[in-house]
Amino acid sequence: MFRLTQIHQRIDERLRIELRKRRPDWQEFARLEMLRQRAKHALNRLAGRGLTA
């Protein structure tokens, strides 16, 4: 869970960096956004599993 949180934070930081650029690469932004969502869903699955177990 800690590792997924770190991954999510790193992707979030890369998204912020991309948006600060004068001309952001929107394809890279979309790819990072998808990766961030996948990490978030994985965290939610783990959190849900911990509550039921």
Side-chain angles (χ1 to χ4, degrees):
M1 191 149 187
F2 177 72
R3 181 99 169 110
L4 279 173
T5 303
Q6 283 183 323
I7 290 169
H8 186 273
Q9 288 173 347
R10 273 187 263 144
I11 293 169
D12 210 27
E13 180 60 29
R14 288 175 61 193
L15 279 168
R16 279 191 228 104
I17 291 169
E18 192 65 39
L19 284 176
R20 276 190 242 133
K21 290 182 180 178
R22 185 177 176 119
R23 297 191 64 185
D25 180 356
W26 294 109
Q27 286 181 330
E28 179 68 6
F29 179 82
R31 186 183 77 81
L32 290 169
E33 187 66 37
M34 181 194 63
L35 289 173
R36 185 176 73 161
Q37 289 298 321
R38 287 178 65 188
K40 184 178 176 182
H41 288 300
L43 279 167
N44 285 335
R45 281 194 305 269
L46 281 176
R49 188 179 303 159
L51 291 175
T52 58

